[in-house]
Amino acid sequence: MRAPIGDFETATPAPDCLAELTAPVADALRNWSAGTPAEHILYVDTDPRWADTAVFVEHYGSDLTERSANCVVVAAKRAGETTLAACLALSTTRVDVNGMVRRHLGARKASFAPMETATGRSGMEYGGITPIGLPADWPLLVDAAVVDLPYVLVGSGRRRGKLLVPGKAFAELPGAVVLEGLGVA
């Protein structure tokens, strides 16, 4: 099947590629109950050597610059308690961690979670964390610009491979809250 975005050799419905995904992502797709059919989520094989954004876009398609999103894990602290949350924003922006994220989570302080925490708690590889399959108790903050796109390129849970996901599907994920202006230039 032809990918709806990018210049990928093939795109396969993600439920047909569960062995290529980390356990949390595969489980989420296996138990998918969102309004967007799981078959609309596509898996594309990518070479981890080209993971750097500039090289990735050069190799897989310049249209991906405006159609890619990054999922980052944030640790929000208040009164000695730490809450982990995921934030999804277009790759051309940065997540407003110290403003919008901190306020939305009601935290005194918010920062990017340490890599070991993000990977250990998500069950995903660094550089491949995706909103699909995150722990159910994590809030998922999604920039409205992501939801507005027909398809968005995100991680697959691994460094190798990516998912092409209809933007509206992110708003349907457990714990998702769509926020205008989460990603800032």
Side-chain angles (χ1 to χ4, degrees):
M1 154 187 311
R2 174 93 177 108
I5 60 175
D7 298 325
F8 301 100
E9 288 183 27
T10 60
T12 307
D16 295 341
C17 300
L18 298 181
E20 302 299 324
L21 307 170
T22 59
V25 178
D27 289 344
L29 288 167
R30 199 177 287 112
N31 300 307
W32 190 260
S33 62
T36 301
E39 295 74 25
H40 291 191
I41 298 170
L42 304 173
Y43 174 81
V44 292
D45 189 37
T46 60
D47 190 322
R49 292 177 299 160
W50 297 317
D52 175 71
T53 303
V55 175
F56 188 90
V57 167
E58 181 181 313
H59 188 77
Y60 292 111
S62 60
D63 66 319
L64 297 173
T65 301
E66 303 294 325
R67 298 176 182 183
S68 299
N70 293 325
C71 184
V72 297
V73 179
V74 173
K77 298 177 182 180
R78 183 179 184 95
E81 296 292 318
T82 300
T83 299
L84 293 178
C87 302
L88 185 68
L90 294 176
S91 60
T92 55
T93 65
R94 63 175 179 76
V95 174
D96 184 11
V97 175
N98 290 310
M100 184 172 288
V101 173
R102 183 184 57 76
R103 285 189 303 274
H104 184 81
L105 297 175
R108 184 184 56 72
K109 180 182 177 192
S111 58
F112 294 107
M115 180 178 66
E116 300 78 25
T117 301
T119 57
R121 296 283 306 276
S122 70
M124 300 179 200
E125 295 176 7
Y126 182 73
I129 294 176
T130 185
I132 297 171
L134 290 172
D137 61 335
W138 287 14
L140 170 59
L141 309 181
V142 181
D143 189 282
V146 173
V147 176
D148 290 341
L149 291 174
Y151 267 90
V152 181
L153 177 99
V154 294
S156 67
R158 296 178 57 214
R159 297 249 330 142
R160 176 173 206 107
K162 298 287 185 186
L163 296 177
L164 305 178
V165 182
K168 65 182 179 179
F170 294 115
E172 301 168 350
L173 291 172
V177 177
V178 177
L179 298 172
E180 194 73 45
L182 176 65
V184 293

